[in-house]
Amino acid sequence: MGIAFPMAEVISTYIPPSFYEGFYLYLYFGSMLFLMCMYATVLRPKPTSANANAAKKKSKRRQRRNSGTDSPQSDTEGGSSVGSSSSAASSPTPTAADEPPGSSRSGKATTEISAFTPTRQAHYGSFYLRMGAVAFGIGSMIYSGLEFGQYFELERNTKCHNVLLALTPATRMAFIFIQMYFIFLNNELRVYRSRLIARFGLMHMIGTNLSVWLNVLIQETKHEILLFYNPENNTLALNAHPKQQHKAMLHRVARGLKGPHHIYECRRTNIMGSLVQDASPFLFPCTIEYSLICAAILYVMWKNVGPKPEQAVRDSDQQHQQHIHAVSHTGSIRRSPHHYSVDCARAHKGLFVGILALVLTIISLILFFVLISRPELKALAVMEVNVCELALYFAATVATLLGMLQVRELRYDGSRNLELDNILLIAAQTGMFIYSTFTVIGGHFTMEKNNALLLITAVASLTQTICQTMFILDASRRSCTTARQIRRKPGRQLVTFLLVANLAMWAVNTLEKSRAESHPVQLHFYGLWAWTIITHVSMPLAIFYRFHSTVCLFDVWKRAYKIKPVYM
C-alpha cells in the first residue's frame, strides 16, 4: 500500500490529488497512540521483590520496637525469610559511576515494569547512531514544517487545495518528534509483558517508517520531473529547468505525459513552494535516513520481544552484587567500564592525513560549484570533481586493504551481537551498488565519447565500498588481548584515516551528486525519467552509507584497542 498509493496518485489521471492522505494519517496516529501507551506503561513501575522484602522487614522492625520485643534473634528470623533477594537492600548503594548503562537512579531501568523492562542484555545502537537519528530527525521535521507552510499559499477553490495537505505534514512532524524521543532515551528497552500489543505496535511503526520513506521518495521524484516539464507542448526537456542550459530536448512519449500534465497544476510555486523545492535535495534525504535508522532499531526491538530470560538476568544481577560487595569491603569505587574517555594514542598520523584529504575535497567542491555556474566550463567541472573522487576512493581502498592485514593480529569475537549495525550498513550499501552499477553501465556504452574517467570512478567507488564493508564487519568484532597489542594498536591509524575520509565522501555525495548537471552523461544515456528515479532511490542510501560507516569506524576506533574489566 505504501508503494501503490503514492505511485498510482502520480501516474494515473483519475485519482484526485491527496486522495490517499487518510492512509498516512492512520499510520501516524496509530504509531503515536502506541508510543503513548508505551510511555504510560513504562512510567508505572512495579516494586521489585528485593525492595518489597526490605519494606516488609522494616515494617516488622517498627512493629517490634513499638511492642518492645525487638531482639537480634527476631531480626534474624525476620531476615531469613527474605533470603538472598534482600541482599541488595542491605548492600551499600552504588554511585552513578558504578551503574551499568541504561540504569537510572529514578528506578526506571532497575525496577520491573508492568509491560516493558530495560535490561543489560539488549542494546539498540550506539550513542553516536542515536545522535545521528536525532540530527536526521531534525532535518525531517524541517522538511515537514516547510510542507505544512506551503499549504497556506495554495489557491482556494482548486483541486489542489485540500486541508489534508496541511494536516498530514503536521501529523508527520509530531510523529517524528515523539518517535525520536522514544528511540533516543530507550536504547536498552526489552518487552516482557503485553507482548502481542508490543509486537503489533512495533511492526506498525516499522511499516509507518517504510511508508514515509516511499512516499517522500515518490513525491520528490515527481517534483523533480515537473521542473523539466513543458506544459505548452507536453514534453520533458532538460532546458526547461531554470538552471539548465542544455540545448538537447528529451521527448518522452505516452509513458508519462498524462502524469506530468495532470499534476503540473499542483507543482510547487510561490515563496514557500520554491523554498521547499530548493531545500528538498538536502532535506528529503534526512527523512529517508531517519526512517531507515528508526525502522532498523524498531525491528531489533521487535525481535527481542519475548519471555524474560531469568537466568541471564540472575547472572548479571549476581555480578552486579559482587561488584557492590567488593566496593563495600575495600572502600574504593572502581570506575565504570562504560565511563567515556578518549585515548588518541596511535591515531595522530591517520587523523591529520584524513584532515588533509577532507580539506582538498572541500576545495575541489568549491571549485566545482564555481566552474559549473559557467556553461562553457561545465565539462571541466565534472572532470575535476571526478578526479577528486577517484583519488579519494583509491586512497581509501589502499587504507582498507592495509587495515585488513593489520587488524588480523587482534582477537576475533564472533559472538558479539552487531545485528543493528549490520542491517543498517548492508541496507545502505545497496544504494551505493545501485548508483555505481548504473553509472558503470552508462559509462561503458559511452566510452567512445571520451568518458572513460566516469567509468573508472564508478568502478573505484564500487570496489572501495565492498572492501570497506568487509573491513568494518570484521574489525568491529576484534579487540586487543595483550599489553603489546594495546601499546602498538595495530590498524588504528588507518581506521582514523578512513573515518575522516568517509566524512569527505559524505560531503561529495550530499553536495555534488544531488545536482543533475554533475552527471550529464548518465542523464542523457538513461533519460530524464529513469535517471531521476535512479538517483532519488540510491543517493539517500549512499549518503547514509557514508554516515553510518563513520559511526561503525568510530566504534572500532574506540572499543577495539582497550581491554575492559570482566564486570559488565
Side-chain angles (χ1 to χ4, degrees):
M1 292 167 73
I3 295 174
F5 285 171
M7 192 172 290
E9 190 175 296
V10 168
I11 294 173
S12 174
T13 58
Y14 302 104
I15 302 175
S18 310
F19 185 76
Y20 293 117
E21 295 297 327
F23 169 69
Y24 296 101
L25 290 176
Y26 155 72
L27 293 177
Y28 300 147
F29 280 117
S31 297
M32 288 191 289
L33 179 63
F34 170 69
L35 286 175
M36 289 175 184
C37 289
M38 287 193 78
Y39 286 133
T41 311
V42 167
L43 292 176
R44 194 174 66 246
K46 187 169 117 180
T48 61
S49 58
N51 292 338
N53 287 328
K56 196 180 296 182
K57 181 178 176 181
K58 189 174 180 181
S59 176
K60 286 182 179 180
R61 285 179 176 173
R62 189 180 298 112
Q63 289 175 3
R64 284 194 295 269
R65 278 198 299 269
N66 292 338
S67 61
T69 59
D70 195 5
S71 68
Q73 184 180 359
S74 60
D75 257 354
T76 305
E77 290 171 357
S80 63
S81 65
V82 177
S84 61
S85 63
S86 65
S87 60
S90 60
S91 298
T93 304
T95 60
D98 294 306
E99 297 209 12
S103 63
S104 171
R105 301 310 299 257
S106 63
K108 181 183 288 187
T110 56
T111 59
E112 183 175 343
I113 295 166
S114 56
F116 309 97
T117 306
T119 74
R120 302 182 188 95
Q121 279 71 38
H123 187 73
Y124 308 118
S126 66
F127 173 77
Y128 309 100
L129 177 64
R130 287 179 288 124
M131 281 302 297
V134 170
F136 291 133
I138 291 170
S140 183
M141 289 174 66
I142 294 171
Y143 177 82
S144 300
L146 292 176
E147 282 198 325
F148 173 75
Q150 182 181 275
Y151 164 79
F152 297 99
E153 288 189 343
L154 295 175
E155 295 182 8
R156 297 185 180 276
N157 302 321
T158 64
K159 65 178 182 179
C160 301
H161 191 274
N162 189 332
V163 71
L164 292 178
L165 290 176
L167 183 60
T168 305
T171 310
R172 182 169 71 227
M173 190 159 48
F175 161 70
I176 290 169
F177 180 80
I178 296 172
Q179 180 179 249
M180 181 169 62
Y181 181 83
F182 169 74
I183 284 177
F184 185 78
L185 292 184
N186 297 286
N187 69 309
E188 295 190 357
L189 199 70
R190 287 293 296 269
V191 183
Y192 297 131
R193 299 182 181 178
S194 304
R195 294 195 293 270
L196 180 63
I197 297 173
R199 286 194 183 103
F200 177 83
L202 290 171
M203 192 53 71
H204 177 89
M205 289 180 66
I206 293 171
T208 301
N209 281 283
L210 295 178
S211 296
V212 169
W213 177 355
L214 294 165
N215 183 42
V216 170
L217 181 67
I218 292 170
Q219 295 301 323
E220 283 304 317
T221 304
K222 175 189 78 174
H223 289 294
E224 179 75 16
I225 290 172
L226 284 178
L227 290 175
F228 298 92
Y229 177 66
N230 185 352
E232 296 179 0
N233 53 9
N234 286 359
T235 57
L236 293 170
L238 287 179
N239 61 352
H241 194 298
K243 298 180 182 178
Q244 296 285 338
Q245 300 296 329
H246 297 281
K247 296 180 180 179
M249 295 287 291
L250 297 181
H251 295 280
R252 287 288 171 263
V253 287
R255 177 183 178 186
L257 290 185
K258 286 188 177 181
H261 182 72
H262 171 64
I263 59 180
Y264 183 76
E265 184 181 342
C266 299
R267 69 193 185 281
R268 289 169 175 164
T269 54
N270 301 326
I271 299 172
M272 286 299 297
S274 301
L275 181 60
V276 173
Q277 187 62 44
D278 292 339
S280 62
F282 307 101
L283 293 180
F284 101 86
C286 290
T287 302
I288 291 176
E289 289 149 15
Y290 172 78
S291 299
L292 178 61
I293 294 175
C294 292
I297 291 174
L298 293 167
Y299 171 72
V300 177
M301 284 186 180
W302 177 82
K303 282 193 70 177
N304 282 297
V305 173
K308 190 172 184 178
E310 296 290 346
Q311 185 60 41
V313 173
R314 195 181 305 120
D315 293 344
S316 182
D317 287 340
Q318 187 176 0
Q319 288 182 358
H320 188 48
Q321 294 302 327
Q322 289 173 356
H323 172 71
I324 295 172
H325 185 67
V327 170
S328 65
H329 277 72
T330 61
S332 62
I333 297 175
R334 182 170 57 193
R335 192 184 71 179
S336 168
H338 295 271
H339 176 78
Y340 280 91
S341 62
V342 178
D343 176 16
C344 294
R346 301 284 180 179
H348 300 92
K349 293 178 184 177
L351 175 63
F352 284 99
V353 173
I355 289 174
L356 177 62
L358 180 62
V359 169
L360 292 176
T361 303
I362 293 172
I363 292 172
S364 172
L365 288 173
I366 293 172
L367 188 60
F368 167 77
F369 288 122
V370 171
L371 295 175
I372 202 75
S373 61
R374 303 180 64 177
E376 67 276 11
L377 297 176
K378 284 187 176 182
L380 179 62
V382 173
M383 185 186 73
E384 176 266 332
V385 81
N386 276 328
V387 170
C388 172
E389 283 185 67
L390 185 59
L392 202 55
Y393 294 144
F394 177 77
T397 304
V398 172
T400 303
L401 295 175
L402 292 175
M404 285 180 178
L405 295 175
Q406 293 187 13
V407 299
R408 291 185 69 181
E409 295 181 32
L410 307 180
R411 183 179 64 88
Y412 182 83
D413 180 13
S415 63
R416 188 177 174 197
N417 184 13
L418 295 167
E419 183 182 22
L420 178 60
D421 286 331
N422 294 351
I423 290 172
L424 290 173
L425 194 66
I426 294 171
Q429 193 179 23
T430 58
M432 297 296 301
F433 282 169
I434 292 170
Y435 184 86
S436 298
T437 304
F438 277 107
T439 304
V440 167
I441 294 170
H444 172 73
F445 287 101
T446 54
M447 286 285 287
E448 68 277 7
K449 298 180 181 179
N450 299 321
N451 291 316
L453 183 62
L454 177 69
L455 178 63
I456 296 171
T457 304
V459 172
S461 172
L462 205 57
T463 306
Q464 192 275 326
T465 54
I466 292 172
C467 294
Q468 180 173 280
T469 300
M470 290 192 295
F471 172 69
I472 290 174
L473 294 178
D474 178 73
S476 58
R477 287 177 168 81
R478 294 189 181 271
S479 58
C480 292
T481 54
T482 65
R484 181 175 178 272
Q485 289 177 350
I486 292 178
R487 285 195 305 271
R488 291 183 59 246
K489 293 181 170 51
R492 201 183 202 202
Q493 302 278 16
L494 297 168
V495 170
T496 309
F497 169 76
L498 286 172
L499 198 157
V500 184
N502 274 273
L503 287 176
M505 297 178 207
W506 175 83
V508 170
N509 288 341
T510 303
L511 300 175
E512 179 257 330
K513 295 212 179 272
S514 59
R515 297 173 65 103
E517 57 264 42
S518 65
H519 30 69
V521 174
Q522 300 96 310
L523 196 60
H524 285 85
F525 179 78
Y526 288 105
L528 186 59
W529 271 92
W531 185 245
T532 303
I533 293 171
I534 290 167
T535 53
H536 279 71
V537 169
S538 62
M539 282 317 300
L541 292 174
I543 292 169
F544 179 73
Y545 175 80
R546 295 303 175 187
F547 162 78
H548 193 58
S549 294
T550 61
V551 172
C552 295
L553 287 166
F554 185 81
D555 190 61
V556 172
W557 186 89
K558 185 167 178 60
R559 292 177 181 271
Y561 299 102
K562 62 171 66 174
I563 298 178
K564 290 196 173 185
V566 176
Y567 168 65
M568 280 298 293

